[in-house]
Short mmCIF file of all heavy atoms in Angstrom, two decimals:
data_model
loop_
_atom_site.label_atom_id
_atom_site.label_comp_id
_atom_site.label_asym_id
_atom_site.label_seq_id
_atom_site.Cartn_x
_atom_site.Cartn_y
_atom_site.Cartn_z
N GLU A 454 104.15 109.71 123.47
CA GLU A 454 104.83 110.36 124.59
C GLU A 454 106.01 109.52 125.07
O GLU A 454 105.95 108.29 125.10
CB GLU A 454 103.85 110.64 125.72
CG GLU A 454 102.83 111.72 125.35
CD GLU A 454 101.78 111.96 126.41
OE1 GLU A 454 101.27 110.98 126.99
OE2 GLU A 454 101.43 113.14 126.64
N GLU A 455 107.07 110.20 125.47
CA GLU A 455 108.29 109.53 125.95
C GLU A 455 108.12 109.20 127.44
O GLU A 455 107.86 110.08 128.25
CB GLU A 455 109.50 110.44 125.75
CG GLU A 455 110.81 109.86 126.25
CD GLU A 455 111.96 110.83 126.15
OE1 GLU A 455 111.86 111.78 125.34
OE2 GLU A 455 112.95 110.66 126.89
N ILE A 456 108.32 107.93 127.78
CA ILE A 456 108.03 107.46 129.13
C ILE A 456 109.31 107.05 129.85
O ILE A 456 110.18 106.36 129.29
CB ILE A 456 107.07 106.25 129.09
CG1 ILE A 456 105.82 106.57 128.25
CG2 ILE A 456 106.68 105.83 130.49
CD1 ILE A 456 105.04 107.75 128.73
N GLU A 457 109.45 107.47 131.10
CA GLU A 457 110.54 107.05 131.99
C GLU A 457 109.93 106.17 133.09
O GLU A 457 109.07 106.62 133.85
CB GLU A 457 111.20 108.28 132.60
CG GLU A 457 112.03 108.04 133.85
CD GLU A 457 113.18 107.07 133.63
OE1 GLU A 457 114.00 107.33 132.72
OE2 GLU A 457 113.22 106.05 134.35
N MET A 458 110.38 104.92 133.18
CA MET A 458 109.76 103.97 134.11
C MET A 458 110.74 103.41 135.13
O MET A 458 110.40 102.48 135.87
CB MET A 458 109.15 102.80 133.32
CG MET A 458 108.09 103.21 132.31
SD MET A 458 106.57 103.79 133.09
CE MET A 458 105.65 102.26 133.18
N THR A 459 111.95 103.96 135.24
CA THR A 459 112.97 103.35 136.09
C THR A 459 113.27 104.11 137.37
O THR A 459 113.87 103.57 138.29
CB THR A 459 114.28 103.18 135.30
OG1 THR A 459 114.75 104.46 134.86
CG2 THR A 459 114.08 102.28 134.08
N LYS A 460 112.86 105.37 137.47
CA LYS A 460 113.25 106.18 138.63
C LYS A 460 112.54 105.72 139.91
O LYS A 460 113.14 105.71 140.99
CB LYS A 460 112.94 107.65 138.37
CG LYS A 460 113.39 108.57 139.50
CD LYS A 460 113.20 110.04 139.15
CE LYS A 460 113.69 110.93 140.29
NZ LYS A 460 113.59 112.38 139.94
N TYR A 461 111.27 105.34 139.79
CA TYR A 461 110.48 104.95 140.95
C TYR A 461 109.95 103.53 140.80
O TYR A 461 109.92 102.97 139.70
CB TYR A 461 109.29 105.90 141.13
CG TYR A 461 109.65 107.35 141.27
CD1 TYR A 461 109.45 108.24 140.22
CD2 TYR A 461 110.18 107.84 142.46
CE1 TYR A 461 109.77 109.58 140.35
CE2 TYR A 461 110.50 109.18 142.61
CZ TYR A 461 110.29 110.05 141.54
OH TYR A 461 110.61 111.38 141.68
N ASN A 462 109.51 102.98 141.92
CA ASN A 462 108.92 101.64 141.90
C ASN A 462 107.54 101.64 141.27
O ASN A 462 107.21 100.76 140.46
CB ASN A 462 108.83 101.09 143.33
CG ASN A 462 110.17 100.85 143.95
OD1 ASN A 462 110.91 99.96 143.54
ND2 ASN A 462 110.51 101.63 144.97
N ASP A 463 106.71 102.62 141.66
CA ASP A 463 105.30 102.60 141.25
C ASP A 463 104.82 103.91 140.64
O ASP A 463 103.63 104.17 140.57
CB ASP A 463 104.43 102.23 142.46
CG ASP A 463 104.65 100.80 142.90
OD1 ASP A 463 104.30 99.88 142.13
OD2 ASP A 463 105.20 100.59 144.00
N ILE A 464 105.75 104.74 140.21
CA ILE A 464 105.42 106.00 139.55
C ILE A 464 106.14 106.07 138.22
O ILE A 464 107.35 105.80 138.14
CB ILE A 464 105.83 107.22 140.41
CG1 ILE A 464 105.09 107.21 141.75
CG2 ILE A 464 105.56 108.53 139.66
CD1 ILE A 464 105.57 108.27 142.72
N GLY A 465 105.42 106.40 137.16
CA GLY A 465 106.01 106.63 135.86
C GLY A 465 106.08 108.12 135.57
O GLY A 465 105.40 108.92 136.22
N ILE A 466 106.90 108.50 134.59
CA ILE A 466 107.07 109.91 134.25
C ILE A 466 107.00 110.06 132.73
O ILE A 466 107.66 109.32 131.99
CB ILE A 466 108.42 110.47 134.73
CG1 ILE A 466 108.65 110.16 136.21
CG2 ILE A 466 108.50 111.97 134.48
CD1 ILE A 466 110.05 110.50 136.70
N ILE A 467 106.21 111.01 132.28
CA ILE A 467 106.22 111.42 130.87
C ILE A 467 107.21 112.56 130.76
O ILE A 467 107.09 113.58 131.44
CB ILE A 467 104.83 111.87 130.40
CG1 ILE A 467 103.81 110.74 130.59
CG2 ILE A 467 104.86 112.34 128.95
CD1 ILE A 467 102.37 111.19 130.43
N LYS A 468 108.23 112.39 129.92
CA LYS A 468 109.26 113.40 129.73
C LYS A 468 108.91 114.23 128.48
O LYS A 468 108.65 113.67 127.42
CB LYS A 468 110.64 112.76 129.56
CG LYS A 468 111.02 111.78 130.67
CD LYS A 468 111.16 112.47 132.01
CE LYS A 468 112.37 113.38 132.08
NZ LYS A 468 112.59 113.89 133.46
N ASN A 469 108.90 115.52 128.63
CA ASN A 469 108.53 116.40 127.52
C ASN A 469 109.66 117.36 127.19
O ASN A 469 110.21 118.02 128.08
CB ASN A 469 107.29 117.22 127.90
CG ASN A 469 106.04 116.38 127.98
OD1 ASN A 469 105.53 115.91 126.97
ND2 ASN A 469 105.54 116.16 129.19
N LYS A 470 109.98 117.44 125.93
CA LYS A 470 110.92 118.45 125.46
C LYS A 470 110.11 119.66 125.00
O LYS A 470 109.05 119.51 124.40
CB LYS A 470 111.73 117.90 124.29
CG LYS A 470 112.58 116.68 124.64
CD LYS A 470 113.27 116.12 123.41
CE LYS A 470 114.08 114.87 123.76
NZ LYS A 470 114.69 114.26 122.54
N HIS A 471 110.62 120.84 125.28
CA HIS A 471 109.86 122.05 124.93
C HIS A 471 109.57 122.10 123.44
O HIS A 471 108.51 122.52 122.99
CB HIS A 471 110.62 123.30 125.36
CG HIS A 471 109.85 124.57 125.16
ND1 HIS A 471 109.98 125.33 124.02
CD2 HIS A 471 108.91 125.18 125.92
CE1 HIS A 471 109.17 126.38 124.11
NE2 HIS A 471 108.52 126.31 125.25
N SER A 472 110.52 121.63 122.64
CA SER A 472 110.37 121.69 121.18
C SER A 472 109.29 120.75 120.67
O SER A 472 108.84 120.88 119.53
CB SER A 472 111.71 121.34 120.51
OG SER A 472 112.14 120.05 120.90
N SER A 473 108.85 119.80 121.53
CA SER A 473 107.85 118.84 121.08
C SER A 473 106.43 119.40 121.16
O SER A 473 105.49 118.76 120.72
CB SER A 473 107.94 117.55 121.92
OG SER A 473 107.56 117.80 123.26
N PHE A 474 106.29 120.60 121.71
CA PHE A 474 104.98 121.22 121.85
C PHE A 474 104.83 122.42 120.94
O PHE A 474 105.69 123.29 120.90
CB PHE A 474 104.74 121.66 123.31
CG PHE A 474 104.17 120.58 124.17
CD1 PHE A 474 105.00 119.59 124.67
CD2 PHE A 474 102.82 120.51 124.45
CE1 PHE A 474 104.48 118.57 125.45
CE2 PHE A 474 102.29 119.50 125.23
CZ PHE A 474 103.13 118.52 125.73
N ASP A 475 103.74 122.44 120.19
CA ASP A 475 103.44 123.62 119.39
C ASP A 475 103.12 124.78 120.32
O ASP A 475 102.53 124.61 121.38
CB ASP A 475 102.24 123.36 118.47
CG ASP A 475 102.53 122.28 117.44
OD1 ASP A 475 103.70 122.16 117.04
OD2 ASP A 475 101.59 121.57 117.05
N HIS A 476 103.50 125.98 119.90
CA HIS A 476 103.17 127.15 120.71
C HIS A 476 101.65 127.33 120.74
O HIS A 476 100.98 127.24 119.72
CB HIS A 476 103.82 128.40 120.11
CG HIS A 476 103.46 129.66 120.84
ND1 HIS A 476 103.91 129.93 122.12
CD2 HIS A 476 102.65 130.70 120.50
CE1 HIS A 476 103.41 131.09 122.51
NE2 HIS A 476 102.65 131.57 121.56
N ILE A 477 101.13 127.54 121.92
CA ILE A 477 99.69 127.74 122.06
C ILE A 477 99.42 129.18 122.45
O ILE A 477 99.92 129.68 123.45
CB ILE A 477 99.09 126.75 123.09
CG1 ILE A 477 97.57 126.90 123.12
CG2 ILE A 477 99.69 126.90 124.48
CD1 ILE A 477 96.87 125.75 123.82
N ASP A 478 98.69 129.86 121.61
CA ASP A 478 98.37 131.27 121.81
C ASP A 478 96.93 131.37 122.30
O ASP A 478 95.99 131.04 121.57
CB ASP A 478 98.56 132.04 120.51
CG ASP A 478 98.41 133.54 120.70
OD1 ASP A 478 98.03 133.97 121.80
OD2 ASP A 478 98.68 134.29 119.74
N LEU A 479 96.76 131.84 123.54
CA LEU A 479 95.42 131.91 124.12
C LEU A 479 94.68 133.20 123.75
O LEU A 479 93.54 133.40 124.18
CB LEU A 479 95.51 131.81 125.65
CG LEU A 479 96.02 130.47 126.21
CD1 LEU A 479 96.07 130.54 127.74
CD2 LEU A 479 95.13 129.31 125.77
N LYS A 480 95.31 134.07 122.95
CA LYS A 480 94.67 135.36 122.62
C LYS A 480 93.33 135.15 121.93
O LYS A 480 92.35 135.83 122.23
CB LYS A 480 95.59 136.20 121.74
CG LYS A 480 96.82 136.74 122.46
CD LYS A 480 97.68 137.55 121.52
CE LYS A 480 98.93 138.06 122.23
NZ LYS A 480 99.82 138.79 121.29
N ARG A 481 93.28 134.21 120.99
CA ARG A 481 92.04 133.96 120.26
C ARG A 481 90.95 133.47 121.22
O ARG A 481 89.80 133.94 121.17
CB ARG A 481 92.28 132.94 119.15
CG ARG A 481 90.98 132.40 118.54
CD ARG A 481 91.24 131.44 117.41
NE ARG A 481 90.04 130.65 117.14
CZ ARG A 481 89.74 130.12 115.96
NH1 ARG A 481 90.55 130.31 114.95
NH2 ARG A 481 88.64 129.41 115.81
N LEU A 482 91.31 132.52 122.11
CA LEU A 482 90.33 131.98 123.07
C LEU A 482 89.86 133.06 124.03
O LEU A 482 88.68 133.14 124.35
CB LEU A 482 90.94 130.81 123.83
CG LEU A 482 90.01 130.05 124.79
CD1 LEU A 482 88.78 129.52 124.06
CD2 LEU A 482 90.76 128.90 125.47
N ARG A 483 90.78 133.91 124.48
CA ARG A 483 90.39 135.01 125.39
C ARG A 483 89.44 135.98 124.69
O ARG A 483 88.48 136.47 125.29
CB ARG A 483 91.64 135.74 125.88
CG ARG A 483 92.52 134.94 126.82
CD ARG A 483 93.67 135.81 127.34
NE ARG A 483 94.65 135.03 128.05
CZ ARG A 483 94.55 134.66 129.32
NH1 ARG A 483 93.47 135.00 130.00
NH2 ARG A 483 95.50 133.95 129.89
N LYS A 484 89.72 136.27 123.43
CA LYS A 484 88.88 137.19 122.67
C LYS A 484 87.47 136.62 122.51
O LYS A 484 86.46 137.33 122.70
CB LYS A 484 89.50 137.48 121.30
CG LYS A 484 88.75 138.54 120.50
CD LYS A 484 89.48 138.84 119.20
CE LYS A 484 88.72 139.89 118.39
NZ LYS A 484 89.41 140.21 117.11
N LYS A 485 87.39 135.34 122.16
CA LYS A 485 86.09 134.68 122.02
C LYS A 485 85.35 134.68 123.36
O LYS A 485 84.14 134.95 123.42
CB LYS A 485 86.29 133.24 121.55
CG LYS A 485 86.71 133.11 120.09
CD LYS A 485 85.50 133.07 119.19
CE LYS A 485 85.88 132.69 117.77
NZ LYS A 485 84.71 132.62 116.88
N TYR A 486 86.07 134.36 124.42
CA TYR A 486 85.50 134.30 125.77
C TYR A 486 84.89 135.65 126.15
O TYR A 486 83.76 135.73 126.63
CB TYR A 486 86.61 133.90 126.74
CG TYR A 486 86.24 133.87 128.20
CD1 TYR A 486 85.68 132.75 128.78
CD2 TYR A 486 86.50 134.97 129.01
CE1 TYR A 486 85.37 132.72 130.14
CE2 TYR A 486 86.20 134.96 130.37
CZ TYR A 486 85.63 133.82 130.92
OH TYR A 486 85.34 133.81 132.26
N THR A 487 85.64 136.72 125.90
CA THR A 487 85.16 138.07 126.21
C THR A 487 83.93 138.41 125.39
O THR A 487 82.96 138.99 125.89
CB THR A 487 86.27 139.10 125.96
OG1 THR A 487 87.40 138.78 126.78
CG2 THR A 487 85.80 140.50 126.30
N THR A 488 83.95 138.06 124.11
CA THR A 488 82.81 138.34 123.23
C THR A 488 81.57 137.61 123.71
O THR A 488 80.47 138.18 123.74
CB THR A 488 83.15 137.92 121.78
OG1 THR A 488 84.29 138.65 121.32
CG2 THR A 488 81.97 138.19 120.86
N TRP A 489 81.73 136.34 124.08
CA TRP A 489 80.59 135.56 124.57
C TRP A 489 79.99 136.21 125.82
O TRP A 489 78.77 136.31 125.96
CB TRP A 489 81.01 134.14 124.88
CG TRP A 489 81.25 133.28 123.67
CD1 TRP A 489 80.57 133.32 122.49
CD2 TRP A 489 82.23 132.26 123.52
NE1 TRP A 489 81.06 132.39 121.62
CE2 TRP A 489 82.09 131.72 122.23
CE3 TRP A 489 83.22 131.73 124.35
CZ2 TRP A 489 82.90 130.68 121.75
CZ3 TRP A 489 84.03 130.70 123.88
CH2 TRP A 489 83.86 130.19 122.59
#
């Protein structure tokens, strides 16, 4: 993960680019949940 440590004294930030995340499709989980 990309870390930003300079903006605050005691708070760090993880910077995320949208392209760095795989698309997550909850349809399968919802279908399983309903079936259960």
Side-chain angles (χ1 to χ4, degrees):
E454 291 176 318
E455 179 185 338
I456 308 301
E457 161 60 56
M458 301 290 268
T459 60
K460 183 174 181 177
Y461 302 105
N462 294 292
D463 292 294
I464 299 173
I466 309 171
I467 301 168
K468 307 295 291 188
N469 290 290
K470 299 175 182 177
H471 186 266
S472 59
S473 67
F474 273 79
D475 296 329
H476 177 70
I477 185 165
D478 187 352
L479 295 179
K480 289 180 182 177
R481 168 177 162 153
L482 185 57
R483 291 185 190 278
K484 185 176 180 180
K485 288 273 190 178
Y486 176 87
T487 301
T488 300
W489 286 325

